[in-house]
Amino acid sequence: MKQKETLLNTQPVNGLSSIDETGDEHIGTSHETPMRPDAFERDDELKIELIEKHFREIMTILGLDLNDDSLAGTPKRVAKMYVQEVFSGLNPANKPEVTLFNNSYNYDQMLVEKNITFFSNCEHHFVPILGKAHVAYISNGQVIGLSKINRIVQYYAKRPQVQERLTVQIANELKTILGTEDVAVVLDAAHMCVSSRGIQDVNSKTITSQFFGKFREDAVKQEFFKYLELEK
Ligand SMILES: [Zn+2]
């Protein structure tokens, strides 16, 4: 099967002088994950086969002996991990099904789900981001199962990401599903590309937030922050 590869767009973005600089400074270019139009023309099986082949090549170029028992299965393992686990959120087919329930107990205050652990990967270096998501919404008459909020966070995390985009994608999805503007998302994450390489700062965290609707009002926002502080 012959696949024609096109060159990536190498135009400068956001006025920066080079693609390298954009990646090193962790600047994203869009709220949508940049996808190719032919992203799903290959099925998962073919993607695994091709990634395995290319990862084998990378390891070989690095000088590793793929005949070693410990390394022999690595290309296949990495390929399966990429397609079926850590980047499975690229495929809309894996988007969680969400059922809404009537808010029959007429709870009209904010609902906060905090400390949702997520694993993602930085799209500039392909190394892990480990973080916590704190999500809140005010029901407009419908409520969502709590575990579904976790699943939505995980789905968008399982892509090559920048933290700002992940924050907005989760907030936008909740707005759409719940049919309300009153949504807040805060992400607090550690980036392995900052700790394990580059500047090698093991202590810094990155916090991003997206507030819509009533959560832009100071009193509502403060109430949300107060709940996040209850225990660490
Ligand atoms: Zn990075």
Side-chain angles (χ1 to χ4, degrees):
M1 184 163 318
K2 194 138 173 64
Q3 300 283 351
K4 195 169 184 305
E5 302 294 340
T6 48
L7 280 175
L8 288 170
N9 175 14
T10 50
Q11 295 298 310
V13 282
N14 297 345
L16 285 171
S17 57
S18 74
I19 283 291
D20 272 359
E21 196 171 347
T22 305
D24 283 344
E25 298 303 327
H26 293 94
I27 295 163
T29 54
S30 150
H31 287 167
E32 298 294 322
T33 301
M35 298 294 286
R36 294 166 56 96
D38 61 357
F40 303 106
E41 283 177 13
R42 294 161 169 150
D43 62 18
D44 284 1
E45 211 173 318
L46 179 57
K47 285 180 184 181
I48 290 170
E49 196 183 308
L50 292 170
I51 293 170
E52 177 185 357
K53 192 176 116 219
H54 288 284
F55 205 79
R56 184 178 303 281
E57 193 63 21
I58 288 171
M59 291 175 71
T60 303
I61 293 165
L62 287 171
L64 293 163
D65 180 3
L66 273 294
N67 293 316
D68 185 275
D69 280 351
S70 176
L71 298 179
T74 300
K76 181 76 177 274
R77 268 192 298 273
V78 170
K80 282 173 74 175
M81 177 182 73
Y82 275 9
V83 173
Q84 296 174 348
E85 297 176 287
V86 300
F87 300 132
S88 60
L90 287 171
N91 191 342
N94 296 326
K95 196 166 169 173
E97 296 274 337
V98 172
T99 349
L100 296 175
F101 304 94
N102 280 330
N103 181 7
S104 48
Y105 27 87
N106 294 321
Y107 180 73
D108 61 357
Q109 303 299 304
M110 77 173 68
L111 182 147
V112 179
E113 192 175 356
K114 65 180 192 175
N115 297 331
I116 301 169
T117 302
F118 70 84
F119 292 92
S120 190
N121 278 271
C122 152
E123 72 179 16
H124 302 124
H125 299 94
F126 273 47
V127 293
I129 301 169
L130 166 59
K132 289 202 157 136
H134 313 295
V135 172
Y137 73 95
I138 300 169
S139 169
N140 75 348
Q142 295 199 293
V143 293
I144 182 174
L146 291 181
S147 69
K148 295 297 182 190
I149 299 178
N150 297 56
R151 287 189 200 285
I152 290 164
V153 171
Q154 314 302 352
Y155 170 70
Y156 286 102
K158 286 180 177 179
R159 298 176 172 191
Q161 275 289 12
V162 286
Q163 189 173 326
E164 296 90 328
R165 184 199 295 131
L166 178 57
T167 314
V168 175
Q169 287 181 335
I170 294 166
N172 282 340
E173 183 67 25
L174 287 167
K175 275 204 310 182
T176 307
I177 290 172
L178 291 160
T180 176
E181 284 292 306
D182 304 332
V183 165
V185 176
V186 171
L187 300 188
D188 180 354
H191 292 242
M192 298 309 136
C193 57
V194 174
S195 56
S196 71
R197 54 159 299 287
I199 194 76
Q200 298 198 318
D201 183 335
V202 294
N203 291 315
S204 63
K205 303 285 284 293
T206 305
I207 297 175
T208 47
S209 62
Q210 180 71 65
F211 301 106
F212 286 121
K214 289 182 187 154
F215 285 94
R216 289 188 167 162
E217 295 167 16
D218 223 33
V220 179
K221 195 183 285 185
Q222 292 311 321
E223 184 186 340
F224 175 47
F225 287 161
K226 204 177 69 204
Y227 295 141
L228 298 190
E229 283 167 10
L230 286 179
E231 25 80 31
K232 295 287 175 215

